[in-house]
């Protein structure tokens, strides 16, 4: 079964390779004096929708913050942020990420540049089986019926 932590971990591993010049890819709380350039991956929300009586479609909304090097005034250059965002987008443009023996679909929702960081919001979509019912019922073995012949 796929867990959101597995998706974030797989995304972290792929982004470490794609953004090799980044000092760190954070998934937990970031220190106040974190090193730049770096990335921060966080889970924003999770939703589930029934596809069939036995399968569910799961969507995890993940936000990837990109932190480029700041100048003396506390700002990042737009070209540095664009370059870092571009590396992240290349990973997402593959359309999926592997987690164990499964592939999770990735779709970019939004991306935006701020003064000292940029972010990309990604939907990770995957299907899972519904949880099986804890209680199992015995099959009906004998059915007794009484058939009457109705005459008018």
């Amino acid at each position: 079964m796929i867990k959101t932590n597995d998706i974030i971990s797989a995304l972290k591993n792929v982004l470490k390779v794609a953004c090799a010049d980044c000092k760190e890819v954070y998934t937990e709380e970031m220190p106040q004096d974190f090193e730049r350039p770096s990335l921060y991956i966080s889970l924003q929300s999770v939703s589930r929708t029934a596809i069939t009586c036995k399968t569910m479609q799961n969507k995890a909304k993940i936000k990837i913050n990109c932190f480029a090097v700041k100048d003396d005034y506390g700002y990042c250059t737009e070209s540095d942020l664009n370059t870092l965002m571009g590396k992240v987008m290349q990973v997402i443009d593959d359309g999926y990420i592997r987690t164990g023996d499964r592939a999770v679909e990735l779709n970019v929702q939004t991306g935006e540049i701020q003064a000292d960081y940029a972010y990309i919001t990604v939907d990770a979509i995957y299907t899972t089986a519904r949880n099986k019912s804890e209680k199992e019922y015995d099959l009906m073995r004998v059915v007794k019926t009484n058939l009457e012949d109705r005459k008018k």
Side-chain angles (χ1 to χ4, degrees):
M1 176 170 194
I2 297 176
K3 296 183 173 102
T4 52
N5 286 341
D6 297 337
I7 297 168
I8 290 173
S9 178
L11 199 52
K12 177 181 180 177
N13 293 335
V14 171
L15 288 172
K16 274 185 177 180
V17 173
C19 305
D21 55 334
C22 282
K23 305 286 185 196
E24 185 66 50
V25 179
Y26 297 98
T27 56
E28 301 294 326
E29 287 187 30
M30 294 177 62
Q32 188 171 6
D33 309 353
F34 65 92
E35 293 186 74
R36 290 172 178 251
S38 60
L39 301 172
Y40 175 60
I41 305 169
S42 62
L43 179 65
Q44 300 296 299
S45 64
V46 178
S47 63
R48 298 182 80 188
T49 307
I51 297 175
T52 68
C53 63
K54 294 192 179 198
T55 57
M56 299 292 288
Q57 182 178 44
N58 304 280
K59 185 186 330 183
K61 186 175 279 190
I62 298 169
K63 187 175 184 181
I64 304 168
N65 291 298
C66 307
F67 300 98
V69 177
K70 288 184 181 180
D71 62 14
D72 294 336
Y73 301 103
Y75 295 103
C76 300
T77 64
E78 196 170 314
S79 65
D80 287 348
L81 288 172
N82 280 334
T83 301
L84 193 51
M85 273 181 73
K87 290 177 181 178
V88 172
M89 295 290 281
Q90 282 179 336
V91 168
I92 297 164
D93 283 346
D94 286 344
Y96 71 96
I97 191 165
R98 288 211 157 279
T99 56
D101 64 342
R102 304 280 306 273
V104 175
E105 180 183 346
L106 297 177
N107 295 317
V108 173
Q109 291 302 310
T110 57
E112 192 172 318
I113 294 179
Q114 302 292 324
D116 65 336
Y117 73 98
Y119 71 87
I120 299 165
T121 306
V122 178
D123 282 341
I125 301 168
Y126 57 101
T127 57
T128 55
R130 281 186 186 252
N131 294 335
K132 291 184 179 180
S133 175
E134 294 294 321
K135 186 172 183 178
E136 294 209 12
Y137 297 95
D138 291 332
L139 292 176
M140 204 178 337
R141 297 188 191 281
V142 178
V143 178
K144 294 183 180 181
T145 61
N146 188 9
L147 299 174
E148 294 179 10
D149 189 19
R150 290 189 180 178
K151 294 183 181 177
K152 292 187 179 182

